[in-house]
Amino acid sequence: MLIKRPRGWELPESAATPEALVMGRRKSLGLAAGLLAAAGAGPALAQGAAPAADPMAAARNPRYQPGRDLTPERDVTTYNNYYEFGVDDKRIHRAAQRLPLRPWRLKVDGMVERPIEFDIDGLLRMLQLEERVYRLRCVEAWAMTIPWTGFQLSTLLGLVNPLASAKYVTFETAAIPAVMPGLRQSWYPWPYLEGCTIEEARNDLSFLAVGLYGKALPPQNGAPIRVLFPWKYGFKSGKSIVRITLTDQRPVCFWERLQNQEYGFWANVNPEVPHPRWSQATERVIGSNERVPTRLFNGYAEQVAGLYTGLANERLWA
Ligand SMILES: Nc1nc2c(c(=O)[nH]1)N[C@H]1C(S)=C(S)[C@@H](COP(=O)(O)O)O[C@H]1N2
Ligand SMILES: [Mo]
């Protein structure tokens, strides 16, 4: 059963059109058909959806200026962190080539009006993609600057209509023992699960990436779809997502479960709050290897600082 609540599709077309996507009637007809196709309802229904020639050839959004040079593509795709495929940064890209990328289903469920299980290609045909250059800051004090192709997380939320009771969003990533040697390390709390508040998820910066450098995302960077919270340490940005769940319970995430003292739920970048074992004051820029100062919220304070007012008792920086 691919569509959990098929009755949703019997709604009049106007009611079924996701509010997040404001568009004319013709386009909304296409979108409704696209939603059905994306949910796996069959090729006959896909005709209204306009297949883009190359969805990854998306225009760069000029609103997001990283303020530093792009990291060379080669470094982005060969220096990785992806524990399911091992712990050696430089070898992960080879191991990850075994990840089967199709078919790929993305389930969005929990406290939503309309749970949907998307087929990734159907989803991509339906959405307008854009390119954004974001800074990425790993908690281990290295940094990159990457042109990602994708769409805002808020657009996806608009397709499922979260209930008012939903307070958190969790991201569960793929766990495929046959191709992921890391899963044999049973002390890790697989599957890799990360999460955020619904306000964070709705922030314009929260992004679902399906490409980088104008090409489909390589497996080692989280193909076919990964989330990005550029103002948080990189471990919050889960790769190869299979399920997004809206909930009223704050999740205990992968790294928090493993080592609560060092890695928390919020994990916002802050140069003044050291990790228990190292300073976060500077970061190593992958590619040039130069050390530069770390910036508060990784340079995105203007867009996100407002999310954290009234949370003084929370460990916002770990
Ligand atoms: N599923 C999964 N997602 C993950 C990780 C992981 O080990 N498994 N590592 C995280 C960490 S610690 C970082 S820094 C970023 C690295 O992303 P990149 O390899 O694309 O630079 O992915 C994050 N997402
Ligand atoms: Mo990281």
Side-chain angles (χ1 to χ4, degrees):
M1 193 57 194
L2 302 175
I3 306 172
K4 281 202 163 168
R5 291 178 50 194
R7 229 174 278 147
W9 305 115
E10 292 161 21
L11 293 170
E13 174 239 320
S14 56
T17 302
E19 287 158 43
L21 304 169
V22 183
M23 50 180 67
R25 188 170 174 278
R26 262 197 64 186
K27 256 199 141 178
S28 69
L29 279 168
L31 179 74
L35 260 177
L36 283 167
L45 290 162
Q47 280 168 10
D54 179 4
M56 300 304 159
R60 183 169 295 179
N61 185 332
R63 227 187 113 191
Y64 302 93
Q65 297 291 342
R68 65 182 184 209
D69 291 345
L70 297 184
T71 304
E73 182 178 352
R74 223 195 108 72
D75 293 311
V76 175
T77 58
T78 58
Y79 185 91
N80 301 101
N81 191 309
Y82 200 157
Y83 276 76
E84 289 85 335
F85 289 104
V87 293
D88 181 338
D89 303 325
K90 297 285 182 64
R91 287 197 185 170
I92 285 165
H93 69 281
R94 266 185 235 116
Q97 302 311 311
R98 296 183 62 206
L99 181 66
L101 301 180
R102 294 294 187 279
W104 192 277
R105 301 208 155 258
L106 171 64
K107 192 191 281 186
V108 189
D109 66 358
M111 294 180 150
V112 296
E113 267 174 33
R114 191 165 34 199
I116 305 182
E117 190 169 318
F118 294 98
D119 167 73
I120 188 74
D121 295 312
L123 180 64
L124 295 190
R125 272 197 294 277
M126 208 170 70
L127 300 173
Q128 181 72 52
L129 302 184
E130 60 175 288
E131 184 179 72
R132 289 191 189 180
V133 180
Y134 276 171
R135 302 148 64 92
L136 173 75
R137 171 58 155 81
C138 173
V139 71
E140 289 171 312
W142 54 260
M144 297 196 197
T145 311
I146 305 174
W148 303 99
T149 304
F151 54 94
Q152 260 184 223
L153 176 55
S154 62
T155 304
L156 186 73
L157 297 180
L159 297 177
V160 296
N161 287 339
L163 302 177
S165 49
K167 302 263 180 299
Y168 299 95
V169 186
T170 66
F171 302 83
E172 182 184 321
T173 84
I176 309 173
V179 300
M180 294 173 160
L183 300 189
R184 277 183 244 137
Q185 309 199 296
S186 55
W187 58 90
Y188 287 115
W190 310 110
Y192 195 100
L193 184 102
E194 271 303 338
C196 66
T197 65
I198 191 150
E199 292 79 18
E200 291 176 318
R202 285 193 168 124
N203 187 273
D204 282 357
L205 284 173
S206 300
F207 200 65
L208 286 165
V210 295
L212 67 76
Y213 265 102
K215 299 167 202 157
L217 214 54
Q220 61 271 32
N221 296 93
I225 185 163
R226 61 104 46 99
V227 71
L228 294 166
F229 302 103
W231 70 97
K232 292 176 177 284
Y233 291 117
F235 68 83
K236 299 297 296 183
S237 296
K239 295 177 166 182
S240 310
I241 294 169
V242 293
R243 183 176 187 185
I244 299 176
T245 304
L246 287 278
T247 164
D248 59 359
Q249 305 290 309
R250 177 154 136 184
V252 181
C253 301
F254 183 83
W255 291 106
E256 193 180 359
R257 222 176 259 281
L258 260 178
Q259 188 46 279
N260 166 264
Q261 293 303 99
E262 303 192 358
Y263 310 103
F265 171 75
W266 299 96
N268 297 304
V269 176
N270 188 336
E272 287 173 14
V273 180
H275 183 275
R277 290 181 281 136
W278 58 84
S279 163
Q280 296 289 25
T282 63
E283 59 202 37
R284 181 169 63 93
V285 178
I286 301 293
S288 70
N289 269 340
E290 83 186 289
R291 281 211 93 88
V292 301
T294 300
R295 292 168 62 182
L296 184 63
F297 290 111
N298 200 23
Y300 296 102
E302 206 182 304
Q303 290 102 308
V304 297
L307 291 168
Y308 304 100
T309 48
L311 292 172
N313 293 331
E314 294 285 340
R315 275 172 59 214
L316 293 175
W317 316 107

